[in-house]
């Protein structure tokens, strides 16, 4: 039921503080601020390489998590879209761990990749939203997201819940591998637990985003830029926009702009820059200046610190709460979802049932 919302997608965007909190509470122990995972017959401390496979938005969650596994656990991560994975004859060490991420748990390519990994002697971990799904049944380590049924075809709350589980898993892996102390683990858990409130603060900007959607709706092409763990958010923002508003959109790593895409920039092309303040901010701002110097219409999504420093000359800004970098990808998912949603409303497209798309892709 949609309740007071116009669309399932809108309802699901607004459910995120609640469902992320629900998901976190099944992985984090508040009594001692530690991560608690389901029992699993693999000693995670012996894992030397992680293979992540998924499609679409779930793949972007995996891309964010790659930063976390590498940063916290110093675990090498190999990641691929499921439709490419099997066809490149991937090198899989006996006893390795393969991680599959899927809202539906039925995506044909992801499932085929899972079975391929099983045959190659991998242990199978699955982050899945539908607990009765095929992938859930075939997992050695089942890590459910508790987003509840996702009805809108464009994935929203499943993504932030996947990130919540993956953040907890990365911290747990880091502890198991002796890369993270108890104190550091407690700190990570505390930051993860700040996510629901920060998501609420992000949702407070719904009206601002609705107002600026009118600036984006007439565009033929839109670019999204991000760096580091915000690069997958740029890809996710572009995917959301093209899926439901049918505007051509691409996400790029900020630093890649000058290697080609900058040729596209003119006064007609809005460029959405996703850049929380922090160590990577200045670099991204200089990429943003390059875009602006060529007439690009920049929309900056940042926190008050970042906006104070760099909002001059932007056609619009969206202010996010100041958050720890670990939860920034969850928080910055909200404005890119809302922007796609409101642009689609302006364009009058069918938000919950976009053309040519199915909620669950069961053909390879
Ligand atoms: C994007 C979207 C798709 C799915 C993809 C994977 O909004 O919905 O890109 O993310 O089809 O689906 P699951 O996660 O069910 O495997």
């Amino acid at each position: 039921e949609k309740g007071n919302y116009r669309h399932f997608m809108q309802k699901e965007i607004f459910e995120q503080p609640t469902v992320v909190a629900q998901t976190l509470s099944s992985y984090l122990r508040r009594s001692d601020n530690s991560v608690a995972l389901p029992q699993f017959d693999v000693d995670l401390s012996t894992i030397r390489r992680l293979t992540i496979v998924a499609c679409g938005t779930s793949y972007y969650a995996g891309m964010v998590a790659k930063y976390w596994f590498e940063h916290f656990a110093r675990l090498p991560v190999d990641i691929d879209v499921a439709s490419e994975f099997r066809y490149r004859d991937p090198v899989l060490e006996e006893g390795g761990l393969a991680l599959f991420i899927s809202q539906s748990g039925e995506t044909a390519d992801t499932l085929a990749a899972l079975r391929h990994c099983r045959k190659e002697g991998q242990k199978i971990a699955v982050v899945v939203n539908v607990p009765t799904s095929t992938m859930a049944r075939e997992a050695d380590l089942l890590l459910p997201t508790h987003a509840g049924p996702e009805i809108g075809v464009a994935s929203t709350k499943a993504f932030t819940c996947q990130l919540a589980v993956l953040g907890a898993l990365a911290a747990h892996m880091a502890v198991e591998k002796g890369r993270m102390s108890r104190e550091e683990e407690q700190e990570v858990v505390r930051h993860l637990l700040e996510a629901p409130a920060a998501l609420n603060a992000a949702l407070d900007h719904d009206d601002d985003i609705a107002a600026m959607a009118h600036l984006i709706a007439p565009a033929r092409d839109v670019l999204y830029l991000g760096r580091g763990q915000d690069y997958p958010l740029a890809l996710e923002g572009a995917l959301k926009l093209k899926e439901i508003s049918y505007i051509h959109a691409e996400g790029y790593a900020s630093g890649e702009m000058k290697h080609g895409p900058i040729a596209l920039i003119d006064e007609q092309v809005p460029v959405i820059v996703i850049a929380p303040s922090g160590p990577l901010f200045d670099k991204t701002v200089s990429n943003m200046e390059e875009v602006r110097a060529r007439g690009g219409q920049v929309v900056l999504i940042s926190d008050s610190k970042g906006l104070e420093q760099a909002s001059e000359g932007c056609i619009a800004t969206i202010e996010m709460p100041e958050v720890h970098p670990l939860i920034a990808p969850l928080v910055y998912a909200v404005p890119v979802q809302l922007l796609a949603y409101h642009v689609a409303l302006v364009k009058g497209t069918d938000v919950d049932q976009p053309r040519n798309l199915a909620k669950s892709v069961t053909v390879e």
Side-chain angles (χ1 to χ4, degrees), residues 55-58 101-107 110 135 153-155 162 236 239-240 243 359-361:
C55 297
T57 291
S58 298
I101 308 168
S102 177
Q103 188 286 127
S104 62
E106 303 295 347
T107 302
T110 309
M135 282 182 224
V153 163
S155 187
Q162 287 165 348
E236 170 62 1
L239 178 63
K240 286 287 97 87
E243 274 185 298
K359 183 65 188 160
S360 177
V361 182

Side-chain angles (χ1 to χ4, degrees), residues 145-168:
T145 45
H146 300 289
E150 192 180 64
I151 310 291
V153 163
S155 187
T156 53
K157 61 177 181 172
F159 177 71
T160 41
C161 287
Q162 287 165 348
L163 291 176
V165 173
L166 292 165

Side-chain angles (χ1 to χ4, degrees), residues 190-211:
R190 269 198 299 272
H191 289 308
L192 286 172
L193 289 170
E194 288 162 3
L199 288 165
N200 263 319
L203 286 165
D204 283 343
H205 293 273
D206 186 39
D207 289 344
D208 315 342
I209 297 171

